[in-house]
Amino acid sequence: MICVTGASGTLSSEVIRQLKRQAIPFRAAYFSQRAAEIARARGIEAVTFDYNHPHTLRAAFDACDTLFLLGPNALNQTELELNAVEAAKAAGVRYIVKQSVMGAAEEAYSLAKIHRAVEKAIETSGLAWTFLRPNSFMQNAVTFMDRRSEPKVPSTARAIKRGSATSTSVTSPRWPWQRSRLRLTKNRSTR
């Protein structure tokens, strides 16, 4: 089973949609009790957790072999995600997919340093891992744009649709194995 953190966010919501569509077993982890209740009403296995309280993380990750780790945007994000890594190990998780940032390995800017510290902990944890290092997301452009730049959105969206946008970087020690692992997880759930 895959535990998806940040389940009410834009990215994790899409991960959940894809897992559901492929009938891959998952558990959605929410910070908000209300969001978890809404998810349960839609037939989703949902739990609540708090990165500040490791016992809630361990309970959320229990019986999951994979963790999709998308930490909160907080001043102590590194500490909170390190809590999640430790809780994942304690709960028996074997594989972490961490949402990171472009350039994390170089640690050339503050956000990269935040994510790289967690990546290093995952690398030395003994767990299998994949780091997703996107260049950016379209909602970031829309969120941070001022009114003067709004006309640029349609042309950017057209460029992405045509496939001319820069691709996302994926880092993993065993990338081919992990693609097949996702298929194995799906096959196991359909037996």
Side-chain angles (χ1 to χ4, degrees), residues 3-9 12 28-37 39-40 46-53 56-57 60 70-74 76 80:
C3 183
V4 180
T5 63
S8 60
S12 292
Y30 296 88
F31 182 75
S32 159
Q33 182 64 36
R34 173 105 171 99
E37 289 169 2
R40 285 186 205 109
V47 295
T48 56
F49 75 110
D50 185 336
Y51 282 99
N52 291 295
H53 301 287
T56 65
L57 293 165
L70 176 58
N73 185 8
N76 62 339
L80 298 176

Side-chain angles (χ1 to χ4, degrees), residues 14-181:
E14 181 59 28
V15 170
I16 287 169
R17 274 191 290 280
Q18 295 298 321
L19 292 171
K20 196 171 184 179
R21 187 177 62 98
Q22 296 178 48
I24 297 173
F26 69 91
R27 175 182 301 144
Y30 296 88
F31 182 75
S32 159
Q33 182 64 36
R34 173 105 171 99
E37 289 169 2
I38 291 168
R40 285 186 205 109
R42 292 185 4 232
I44 294 173
E45 181 179 339
V47 295
T48 56
F49 75 110
D50 185 336
Y51 282 99
N52 291 295
H53 301 287
H55 68 280
T56 65
L57 293 165
R58 185 169 179 183
F61 304 158
D62 187 48
C64 292
D65 62 353
T66 302
L67 170 64
F68 179 74
L69 178 58
L70 176 58
N73 185 8
L75 292 175
N76 62 339
Q77 181 175 346
T78 301
E79 174 190 338
L80 298 176
E81 288 190 20
L82 290 173
N83 287 346
V85 172
E86 288 303 312
K89 286 181 359 186
V93 169
R94 296 187 319 245
Y95 174 42
I96 295 178
V97 177
K98 182 193 174 346
Q99 181 64 43
S100 188
V101 295
M102 177 180 71
E106 292 79 27
E107 299 184 63
Y109 61 103
S110 60
L111 194 53
K113 290 176 185 175
I114 288 169
H115 286 277
R116 186 61 187 141
V118 180
E119 289 181 357
K120 287 177 180 177
I122 294 169
E123 288 170 349
T124 61
S125 70
L127 303 174
W129 50 269
T130 299
F131 301 145
L132 305 176
R133 294 176 175 160
N135 297 337
S136 189
F137 292 101
M138 197 61 191
Q139 71 263 21
N140 294 349
V142 173
T143 301
F144 297 112
M145 285 178 12
D146 63 20
R147 294 199 176 273
R148 290 169 291 174
S149 60
E150 283 181 32
K152 294 180 184 175
V153 173
S155 62
T156 304
R158 280 193 302 274
I160 290 172
K161 190 172 183 180
R162 285 194 311 265
S164 62
T166 305
S167 64
T168 297
S169 167
V170 177
T171 304
S172 174
R174 296 181 292 268
W175 174 243
W177 171 82
Q178 291 172 357
R179 281 194 309 240
S180 65
R181 183 186 180 327

